[in-house]
Amino acid sequence: MTELTKEVINSMEELINRVQSVISSRVVAENNQIAEIHVLADNSRNAKQIARDVQSVLMAEFKVDVNYKIISVAQIETSGRFFNDERIAFTNLTFANNGVNLEATVMLTKGSEIYEGVYKGVNTERNRNRIIVNATLECVSKILPEDHNLILEDVDIYSFAKKRIAVVAVTHATPQNEELLVGSSIVKKDDGEALIKATLDALNRRVISILDN
């Protein structure tokens, strides 16, 4: 178990503050256990989704399994509104496999537009997940302005609450700023589809806000 020193708690708070919509946070520890997590966020996302993302990033970075009941999310009104709420949706995922390399092709839709992203990499069990997410990022990048960059930080599938959860962390970088965006999706039928939906869960709100500006 991670020792909850002051430095570790500060690192946790810094990580939580990078989650989409979070403004600030405070982690309270007692007897080397996280007792409370207080999050201040804007109202651009659902509080339950923010709490779930906080759970996900702490598990991914610190291997700490936090009960959602100790995460309190207070939301405040913001001046921004999402006028163009056409979210990017998953359409199709296909593979081309030559034994050594795996090529994933992802098709997404936004409104009436169809976008395609392709990514190739070495065909290993763990790298397969990264190939799928990178193909998704290639696809979403075609929707964004050229100075917006999407970099895959981490991807994994965890067992949580007797379900398998796909979790994806992506850095959105511009010449002025960078932020960590985290998304998740329950694996219902196919790992690949869940990984794509987790990626879109991380990116959709940010894409909408960028295109509205």
Side-chain angles (χ1 to χ4, degrees), residues 108-128:
L108 306 174
T109 57
K110 188 178 189 301
S112 60
E113 298 294 325
I114 299 175
Y115 299 89
E116 182 179 280
V118 179
Y119 194 89
K120 181 188 293 184
V122 178
N123 187 11
T124 65
E125 182 176 353
R126 178 164 177 78
N127 201 40
R128 179 179 184 273

Side-chain angles (χ1 to χ4, degrees), residues 150-167:
L150 302 174
I151 303 102
L152 173 60
E153 297 292 350
D154 202 2
V155 52
D156 214 332
I157 296 177
Y158 297 97
S159 294
F160 186 77
K162 298 182 179 179
K163 300 286 186 180
R164 297 176 70 239
I165 312 291
V167 181

Side-chain angles (χ1 to χ4, degrees), residues 59-75:
M59 172 64 79
E61 183 68 20
F62 296 97
K63 308 300 185 220
V64 174
D65 188 1
V66 176
N67 190 320
Y68 74 93
K69 294 180 180 179
I70 70 171
I71 303 173
S72 63
V73 179
Q75 294 180 282

Side-chain angles (χ1 to χ4, degrees), residues 24-64:
S24 65
S25 64
R26 184 166 68 91
V27 175
V28 180
E30 295 178 359
N31 300 320
N32 204 43
Q33 297 283 338
I34 296 178
E36 302 172 11
I37 298 176
H38 301 278
V39 176
L40 178 64
D42 63 33
N43 62 347
S44 63
R45 301 176 70 216
N46 184 279
K48 289 183 179 180
Q49 182 63 60
I50 295 171
R52 188 169 68 179
D53 285 352
V54 170
Q55 283 181 297
S56 298
V57 297
L58 291 177
M59 172 64 79
E61 183 68 20
F62 296 97
K63 308 300 185 220
V64 174

Side-chain angles (χ1 to χ4, degrees), residues 43-212:
N43 62 347
S44 63
R45 301 176 70 216
N46 184 279
K48 289 183 179 180
Q49 182 63 60
I50 295 171
R52 188 169 68 179
D53 285 352
V54 170
Q55 283 181 297
S56 298
V57 297
L58 291 177
M59 172 64 79
E61 183 68 20
F62 296 97
K63 308 300 185 220
V64 174
D65 188 1
V66 176
N67 190 320
Y68 74 93
K69 294 180 180 179
I70 70 171
I71 303 173
S72 63
V73 179
Q75 294 180 282
I76 59 175
E77 293 288 336
T78 58
S79 57
R81 293 178 59 196
F82 298 111
F83 296 104
N84 177 21
D85 199 13
E86 283 189 346
R87 294 179 176 235
I88 306 169
F90 167 70
T91 300
N92 194 35
L93 168 65
T94 57
F95 296 104
N97 187 347
N98 68 5
V100 177
N101 291 317
L102 179 70
E103 181 179 277
T105 300
V106 172
M107 294 184 66
L108 306 174
T109 57
K110 188 178 189 301
S112 60
E113 298 294 325
I114 299 175
Y115 299 89
E116 182 179 280
V118 179
Y119 194 89
K120 181 188 293 184
V122 178
N123 187 11
T124 65
E125 182 176 353
R126 178 164 177 78
N127 201 40
R128 179 179 184 273
N129 293 346
R130 301 186 69 87
I131 292 169
I132 293 169
V133 175
N134 275 313
T136 308
L137 297 181
E138 288 288 323
C139 204
V140 176
S141 293
K142 296 178 180 180
I143 303 172
L144 295 173
E146 289 185 0
D147 60 346
H148 289 262
N149 300 286
L150 302 174
I151 303 102
L152 173 60
E153 297 292 350
D154 202 2
V155 52
D156 214 332
I157 296 177
Y158 297 97
S159 294
F160 186 77
K162 298 182 179 179
K163 300 286 186 180
R164 297 176 70 239
I165 312 291
V167 181
V168 174
V170 176
T171 291
H172 167 230
T174 68
Q176 296 78 31
N177 188 34
E178 69 175 57
E179 62 179 336
L180 181 69
L181 306 175
V182 178
S184 59
S185 178
I186 296 173
V187 179
K188 295 180 179 179
K189 296 181 180 179
D190 178 72
D191 286 5
E193 181 175 342
L195 289 164
I196 294 170
K197 289 182 175 179
T199 306
L200 296 180
D201 181 53
L203 297 177
N204 252 317
R205 284 286 188 178
R206 181 58 65 236
V207 171
I208 292 169
S209 66
I210 293 167
L211 297 181
D212 276 342

